[in-house]
Amino acid sequence: MAYALVALGFVLALNAAGAVNFAHGDLVVLGGAAAVVIGLWTGLPGPLLLPFVALALGIAGIVAARVAILPLVARPPEATFVATIALAAMIEQGLTVTMDAAPRTAPPLLGTGAVEIAGITLGRQPIAIVVVGATLVVAMWFLLERTQVGRRMRAVSADRHMARAVGIPVARYVVLSLALAGALAGIAGFLLGHQFLVAPTQGAGHMLKAYIAVAIGGWGSVPGALLGALGIGLFETFVSAAVGDAWASAALYLAVLAVLVLRPQGLFGEPVGRRA
Amino acid sequence: MRALDKFWLAVLILLPVLALLVLPPFGQRMVILVGVYALMGVGYQLVFGQLGALNLAQGALFGVGAYTVALTAPTLGLLSLPVAILAAALPAAIVAGPILRLQSHYFALATLALASLIHLAAVHVESITGGANGLAGFTALLPRGPILLVIVWICLILTIVVQARLFAGPMGERARLLRQAPLVAATLGIDGGRWRLVAFVIGSALAGLAGGLSAAVSGVVSPEITGFPIMVLCLTSVVLGGARHPMGAVLGAAIAVCLPELLRDLQSAWLLAYAAATLLVVLWAPEGLATLIDRWRGVRPVPPVSPVVPAHLEAVDGPQRLTLDGVAKHFGGVAALQGVSFTLERGEVVGLIGANGSGKTTLLNVIGGLECADGGTIMLDERRINHLAPHAIARVGVGRSFQSLALTGDTRTADIAHAIETGASFLLLDEPAAGATDRERSDLASLIARLRAAGRGVLIIDHDIELLSRTCDRLICLDRGAVVAIGRPAEVRANPIVRASFLGVEEAAE
């Protein structure tokens, strides 16, 4: 479910920017780091920490949009790729310098330990991840499909020039999308940060999984990205349980290559059409 | 890309020579490293700089080269370097076929997946790679110190000189077309897939060579050498130095090697500074530092050469007749073309008219292979050409110009000139007179007359019915994808269906 949040933010940023945001994975890590730092400073419990982390990363998303995405809209997508890769390296190195290399743990959202529901024992944190994830996904769906703001965001991603022609302030909506993407990344980083520790070098891995989810689900499709992310989560869980982590990752990469070669439009079709 | 001038050639040769004469071993080692990273960068420039494809496997293939040398050097010595080249080029050649057709973001992902696989293998196939500990103690038969420096820099200088020489000429122009306007490139007969394949394999081979040399320098190989940070370093150094400048990779590599020494007190902060510098270059000097230095030296950038149509057009060999029979094309439920049949002879000029959305441009796209026809046949003499790729159709003799172009430095006629230059027997011109002045229109009319005299067949779309009536032998009127009238201009213009559907309102009002 946390992958779904990562992928959701990734696809929002992708649609708004018209190019891959390679810094997205590092925003996730930054979210985990923010949770660690704010948690240490304030000692706030998890649920109160959440809005602070979301806010901090929303701002980081705005900075990313202003620095590496908006100035490059008129250039080929490769320019944005390079700019966001540079940004990702800056975040990663910045974190390495400020935090020690030692991984940290983010505070839990609902306390640790397990609860028993209907005879099944479940960890508190996984439950929290699923609840928060599902809530945010529904909220994003409502925003995109049922509000004027969401309609305009979709208009900007479908056709930037047309959107500008009908009077939508495109730049503002790109920044807004990146802020939302950043906030989602931050929350995902916070949630993952308790289970899997926070280390500066994880960014590329998060980014790669979101990228894969979006490519498998259909480029630019929000439901496709969610399905892709859930698919990756299940795939990793079951395959690594069966054959171990390394083989699971290898199988995932091979599966991606196979999907790209055999069905380049994604498993569920590509809604935005060709983007050369 | 401009050719390598004397200034840069001197820098390129003096640097290793001075290093050999005056630098202590530690400094020589740094110069070797600059050469190694630059070699990887030069290979990267081929794919990323010239063709604009974001390849994210270069770093991992560098690692493949390093591991290959670590494994084979104890038995093969210096011969392990060619093996490293092969070891990196082979996986690239295997995956290249299918993944090079992918568009930018999918290509980036596919190469990233390949790189991740390689990294995974380096970490986990412990019996071969030594796992996380890596490999060491394999350099007994390898050259070290000054000899290694000479080998590295000779490889580098040769590669740079050859590459700069190649891309300073027509090849550079074709690469620019492929990068900026792949469709135009295809209609000029440039096989983009083949170009990318060759560039990707050669680029990977250079990565393998560089990786092998890096193993010789450091004497140890560990999984980090296949990791993403090496890839990021390669990409950022090429962008920083200049992705299409012959010296870009060298400059970027030099900064990447020297910066950590200058900022030694700040430890890993140098990478932060490096990434920030790259971001600044992307934003404000996208051509890179080498180009900035050129500007500072007073060297003007080369403007792209726009071809002009020669005053006298030679007759060309090739097919004599273009025949369409029952050509159909659907977009979803909409019939864009239905049952379109006509022939175009050499030395004949045919105008294509019809309201907006009647299928004129779609028809040119289908003939040129940019869209695939759903039904019917298109023949050049006895040869069927629908189902051929656009570049193959261009090569058998059908040229094409486009409605509007975003190519820097190109003018309206340059596009047509490109098409004529290919020696095409048949030319498809899409609204060449749109937005033209009266002067340009009369130039165009005389150009068409010359094309007819040179025995070329021309199919031309335009909204200027007077221009078409003056220049064309026949007119074809399309309405909702079907041919509603075909014949001499006066006949077609008098046809009541044509008057209703195209000339429409104004004449009906008379």
Side-chain angles (χ1 to χ4, degrees), chain B residues 202-236:
Chain B
I202 295 179
S204 306
L206 288 172
L209 175 63
L213 290 166
S214 88
V217 184
S218 65
V220 284
V221 172
S222 66
E224 282 89 67
I225 204 163
T226 60
F228 199 57
I230 297 278
M231 182 63 242
V232 173
L233 190 68
C234 171
L235 174 66
T236 47

Side-chain angles (χ1 to χ4, degrees), chain B residues 323-331 334-342 362-363 365-367 371-379 384-387 481:
Chain B
T323 312
L324 278 71
D325 187 14
V327 170
K329 176 75 195 174
H330 298 264
F331 291 115
V334 185
L337 292 175
Q338 34 191 335
V340 175
S341 307
F342 64 87
T362 305
L363 181 57
N365 286 346
V366 166
I367 299 173
E371 315 257 14
C372 199
D374 300 327
T377 55
I378 305 170
M379 314 274 285
R384 209 175 142 175
I385 60 165
N386 49 318
H387 299 311

Side-chain angles (χ1 to χ4, degrees), chain B residues 287-472:
Chain B
E287 292 296 313
L289 291 180
T291 311
L292 276 188
I293 295 177
D294 269 350
R295 205 171 301 158
W296 174 70
R297 287 169 54 220
V299 181
R300 299 273 133 239
V302 228
V305 261
S306 300
V308 282
V309 184
H312 176 71
L313 288 170
E314 300 287 333
V316 288
D317 290 337
Q320 296 299 314
R321 178 180 293 132
L322 176 69
T323 312
L324 278 71
D325 187 14
V327 170
K329 176 75 195 174
H330 298 264
F331 291 115
V334 185
L337 292 175
Q338 34 191 335
V340 175
S341 307
F342 64 87
T343 55
L344 176 63
E345 305 278 347
R346 288 279 284 265
E348 188 185 28
V349 178
V350 173
L352 199 53
I353 60 172
N356 283 330
S358 59
K360 304 185 297 290
T361 297
T362 305
L363 181 57
L364 292 203
N365 286 346
V366 166
I367 299 173
L370 297 178
E371 315 257 14
C372 199
D374 300 327
T377 55
I378 305 170
M379 314 274 285
L380 268 180
D381 289 349
E382 302 306 312
R383 180 166 183 198
R384 209 175 142 175
I385 60 165
N386 49 318
H387 299 311
L388 289 184
H391 67 88
I393 293 178
R395 284 185 189 175
V396 292
V398 181
R400 162 87 197 256
S401 82
F402 287 84
Q403 246 176 50
S404 62
L405 273 180
L407 282 175
T408 49
D410 274 303
T411 59
R412 183 196 321 282
T413 50
D415 186 26
I416 302 175
H418 268 307
I420 294 172
E421 213 178 45
T422 62
S425 311
F426 294 95
L427 293 164
L428 316 173
L429 308 181
D430 197 349
E431 297 199 15
T437 61
D438 285 347
R439 168 82 193 270
E440 286 169 332
R441 272 166 216 269
S442 72
D443 286 351
L444 185 70
S446 86
L447 171 63
I448 292 171
R450 278 189 287 151
L451 285 170
R452 180 196 282 122
R456 315 279 182 108
V458 178
L459 183 61
I460 175 172
I461 298 179
D462 213 277
H463 284 289
D464 186 343
I465 187 84
E466 301 300 332
L467 177 81
L468 290 188
S469 303
R470 279 203 310 276
T471 54
C472 293

Side-chain angles (χ1 to χ4, degrees), chain B residues 19-20 23-37 144-146 148-149 152-153 213-220 257 261:
Chain B
L20 281 174
L23 284 182
F26 174 73
Q28 291 190 355
R29 191 186 137 90
M30 277 174 64
V31 173
I32 299 178
L33 277 179
V34 170
V36 166
Y37 288 131
R144 296 187 68 81
L148 190 58
L149 193 148
V152 168
W153 278 82
L213 290 166
S214 88
V217 184
S218 65
V220 284
V257 171
E261 298 303 324

Side-chain angles (χ1 to χ4, degrees), chain B residues 261-279:
Chain B
E261 298 303 324
L262 293 176
L263 299 178
R264 196 183 290 176
D265 299 336
L266 297 172
Q267 295 192 358
S268 64
W270 78 273
L271 258 172
L272 187 64
Y274 198 66
T278 306
L279 189 56

Side-chain angles (χ1 to χ4, degrees), chain B residues 29-78:
Chain B
R29 191 186 137 90
M30 277 174 64
V31 173
I32 299 178
L33 277 179
V34 170
V36 166
Y37 288 131
L39 203 53
M40 165 164 65
V42 172
Y44 197 62
Q45 284 184 314
L46 267 181
V47 184
F48 175 71
Q50 294 299 336
L51 301 182
L54 189 69
N55 166 17
L56 293 175
Q58 187 83 348
L61 293 169
F62 178 82
V64 168
Y67 270 103
T68 309
V69 163
L71 289 169
T72 58
T75 45
L76 294 177
L78 208 51

Side-chain angles (χ1 to χ4, degrees), chain A residues 9-134:
Chain A
F10 185 78
V11 78
L12 273 181
L14 168 77
N15 285 344
V20 173
N21 175 11
F22 276 91
H24 192 74
D26 290 276
L27 289 178
V28 174
V29 180
L30 200 59
V36 172
V37 172
I38 301 177
L40 279 180
W41 277 352
T42 60
L44 283 175
L48 289 178
L49 209 51
L50 196 71
F52 283 105
V53 173
L55 184 69
L57 266 291
I59 295 170
I62 294 174
V63 173
R66 289 268 170 225
V67 170
I69 290 169
L70 278 181
L72 298 172
V73 281
R75 300 240 218 108
E78 283 75 20
T80 314
F81 285 178
V82 177
T84 54
I85 286 177
L87 192 65
M90 285 169 69
I91 296 175
E92 183 180 330
Q93 294 305 322
L95 283 176
T96 315
V97 172
T98 49
M99 295 168 60
D100 331 323
R104 307 284 191 84
T105 309
L109 193 62
L110 294 178
T112 47
V115 286
E116 203 177 292
I117 300 169
I120 307 164
T121 313
L122 293 167
R124 277 174 188 264
Q125 184 74 0
I127 295 178
I129 289 180
V130 170
V131 170
V132 172

Side-chain angles (χ1 to χ4, degrees), chain A residues 22 67 71-72 75 78-79 81-83 85-86 89-90 93-94 97 208 211 215 219 246 249-250 253-254 257 260-261 264 270 274-276, chain B residues 48 52 54 56 98 102-106 108-110 112-113 116-117 120 124 228 232 235 239 268-269 271-272 275-276 278-279 282-283 286:
Chain A
F22 276 91
V67 170
L72 298 172
R75 300 240 218 108
E78 283 75 20
F81 285 178
V82 177
I85 286 177
M90 285 169 69
Q93 294 305 322
V97 172
L208 181 56
Y211 204 154
W219 201 248
S249 303
Y253 302 142
L254 284 174
L257 281 174
L260 287 177
V261 168
E270 178 157 341
R274 201 170 135 112
R275 283 193 185 166
Chain B
F48 175 71
L54 189 69
L56 293 175
L102 301 170
Q103 287 169 40
S104 60
H105 47 257
Y106 288 145
L109 177 59
L112 193 55
S116 304
L117 274 175
L120 215 54
H124 290 282
F228 199 57
V232 173
L235 174 66
V239 170
S268 64
L271 258 172
L272 187 64
T278 306
L279 189 56
V282 173
L283 292 176

